[in-house]
Amino acid sequence: MDRTWNNKAWFLVLPVLLLVAFSAIIPLMTVVNYSVQDTFGNNVFFWVGVEWFEELLHSPRFWQALLRNLIFSAIILAIQIPLGVFIALNMPRRGWGVSVCLVLMALPLLIPWNVVGTIWQVFGRVDIGLLGYTLARLGINYNYVQDPLAAWVTVIVMDIWHWTSLVVLLCYAGLVSIPDAYFQAAKIDGASRWSVFRYIQLPKMNRVLLIAVLLRFMDSFMIYTEPFVVTGGGPGNETTFLSIDLVKMAIGQFDVGPAAAMSLVYFLIVLLVCWVFYTVMTNYGEESGR
Amino acid sequence: MNLSWMAWTLPTATFFIVIGLLIAGMAVWEYFSPGGHPRVGVLRFETTRGDRLFISLLGSGFIHLAWLGLVGPDLWWALALSLVYAFCVFRFV
């Protein structure tokens, strides 16, 4: 089919381009400028070349924060995706239960991140928090302020509580869009529950699952507010993820140059992962559309 | 307008001018040869000229970082390697 090309339509993109320039491109340019200079304030800068990048790439602090971030993302993906699929599969398809479940699932997503952090900070406290107090009464040594394992468990459980709903809602949307004819055919063939899931529901959910994995990976890889409120990156640096380390460096220590270099490396990693996911998603979409 | 807070330097300005010129060059290329020249290369999925420029720039960023971390601060060799990499991307991807 012949398409009509009208290049004047590109002018419609201009307002967005201006907005992006002010909110993203100009700040990014400034970060690049800061990453090759040092400053003591008052807009006085000294050229240092690639020194900050070199320092960063040889810094155990950076690699440890990156490793912690990757481990955190891997753990929450390994839990949230199967759990989200499981909950979505067991949600009602019709009746009053649908609305109740959807509202319940949407609730954690509506709570601001710093409030989620505060809820879990109080919830986990041994003296006044329900979780901390109950675990202490059961004889379990749980203290997220002192024990790295407890801190990790708290941060992971908090993220699961906050974000599994997103996976559930995406999977549920994928599931309800499957025509009934598929299930009727499976029933006639005497397909087991597992076969229905494996050969009908899972393939039909593939696209939303990819979106869920992408969103959850990016969110978890850039996580800041919740762990910062709960643990402040501690005990020690045990829950200091890249974003927390970055803020400590830029605002806490006012090391603007090294922080800018770290931001750019962080940005490159995020960009690479985004591109990989985007490519997989778009190519999958084209293949399944053929 | 006072832009001293942006702390511009000649090398960073040159960097952004080169990126801008590359994008402008792509626009000119697209004008004379519209369609983005999509093709399936060694990565086994379809890429356009824009995709190939993006892959080249992103890969060049990592090549420079890897050179800096593993070899040293003399980045001219990393730049040369990036140009070879970009050529290969535009030729085979």
Side-chain angles (χ1 to χ4, degrees):
Chain A
M1 194 179 82
D2 288 335
R3 289 180 184 170
T4 306
W5 292 94
N6 183 357
N7 283 325
K8 283 178 187 163
W10 284 106
F11 284 106
L12 296 173
V13 185
L14 211 58
V16 176
L17 199 66
L18 284 173
L19 198 69
V20 171
F22 277 99
S23 66
I25 298 173
I26 290 175
L28 182 68
M29 285 173 164
T30 311
V31 169
V32 172
N33 290 340
Y34 285 6
S35 71
V36 289
Q37 297 177 84
D38 195 7
T39 181
F40 300 106
N42 293 327
N43 281 345
V44 180
F45 293 89
F46 308 93
W47 173 261
V48 294
V50 291
E51 194 182 312
W52 300 134
F53 288 95
E54 214 178 349
E55 197 179 282
L56 179 82
L57 293 169
H58 293 108
S59 152
R61 175 178 161 177
F62 168 72
W63 291 109
Q64 283 162 7
L66 178 62
L67 184 66
R68 275 192 289 271
N69 234 146
L70 290 172
I71 292 172
F72 176 74
S73 295
I75 291 174
I76 66 111
L77 279 181
I79 297 172
Q80 286 181 8
I81 299 297
L83 184 62
V85 172
F86 177 77
I87 296 172
L89 284 171
N90 289 291
M91 272 171 62
R93 296 283 183 277
R94 53 183 66 87
W96 59 269
V98 176
S99 310
V100 173
C101 285
L102 288 178
V103 169
L104 281 175
M105 283 296 135
L107 271 179
L109 301 175
L110 300 175
I111 303 173
W113 296 335
N114 53 344
V115 178
V116 171
T118 311
I119 289 171
W120 279 83
Q121 194 200 37
V122 176
F123 189 47
R125 277 179 61 168
V126 180
D127 51 353
I128 56 167
L130 187 63
L131 175 71
Y133 181 77
T134 310
L135 289 176
R137 295 285 289 181
L138 290 170
I140 298 168
N141 185 22
Y142 168 82
N143 189 336
Y144 66 82
V145 180
Q146 292 174 347
D147 180 18
L149 181 65
W152 265 86
V153 170
T154 309
V155 171
I156 287 167
V157 174
M158 174 177 63
D159 198 81
I160 291 167
W161 177 83
H162 195 187
W163 289 110
T164 304
S165 309
L166 180 72
V167 182
V168 174
L169 294 176
L170 285 169
C171 291
Y172 188 74
L175 285 172
V176 294
S177 67
I178 303 172
D180 277 343
Y182 283 85
F183 297 106
Q184 286 161 4
K187 201 172 181 182
I188 291 166
D189 289 344
S192 64
R193 182 74 191 85
W194 169 252
S195 299
V196 170
F197 172 70
R198 173 69 186 83
Y199 297 108
I200 298 175
Q201 290 171 317
L202 194 58
K204 289 288 175 190
M205 275 196 301
N206 257 354
R207 197 162 169 75
V208 287
L209 274 177
L210 270 171
I211 295 170
V213 170
L214 171 65
L215 288 176
R216 287 311 305 130
F217 180 82
M218 298 317 298
D219 264 349
S220 61
F221 197 68
M222 298 187 290
I223 193 165
Y224 173 75
T225 314
E226 297 109 309
F228 182 76
V229 173
V230 177
T231 64
N237 281 325
E238 291 295 333
T239 54
T240 299
F241 301 118
L242 277 175
S243 55
I244 296 178
D245 204 21
L246 186 58
V247 173
K248 274 184 187 173
M249 201 184 281
I251 296 170
Q253 299 163 213
F254 197 65
D255 281 337
V256 180
M262 188 176 171
S263 301
L264 290 177
V265 175
Y266 196 1
F267 173 65
L268 273 182
I269 297 170
V270 171
L271 207 58
L272 175 70
V273 177
C274 263
W275 177 76
V276 170
F277 277 115
Y278 174 78
T279 306
V280 170
M281 278 167 63
T282 48
N283 283 290
Y284 176 78
E286 280 167 15
E287 275 169 23
S288 57
R290 276 173 196 155
Chain B
M1 192 163 55
N2 184 7
L3 288 176
S4 64
W5 59 273
M6 285 188 80
W8 280 105
T9 64
L10 185 62
T12 51
T14 310
F15 171 76
F16 281 111
I17 288 168
V18 169
I19 301 276
L21 285 175
L22 281 173
I23 294 170
M26 294 297 283
V28 173
W29 193 356
E30 180 65 23
Y31 181 79
F32 286 108
S33 171
H37 191 222
R39 65 153 190 251
V40 177
V42 289
L43 293 179
R44 309 308 311 151
F45 57 78
E46 195 175 88
T47 56
T48 62
R49 277 195 294 263
D51 293 328
R52 293 191 278 276
L53 177 69
F54 179 77
I55 296 167
S56 303
L57 290 176
L58 189 62
S60 300
F62 281 103
I63 288 171
H64 279 77
L65 285 177
W67 190 278
L68 194 59
L70 299 171
V71 183
D74 186 11
L75 292 175
W76 290 109
W77 284 107
L79 180 65
L81 196 60
S82 297
L83 289 173
V84 173
Y85 166 75
F87 174 78
C88 292
V89 168
F90 271 84
R91 181 74 185 80
F92 301 112
V93 172

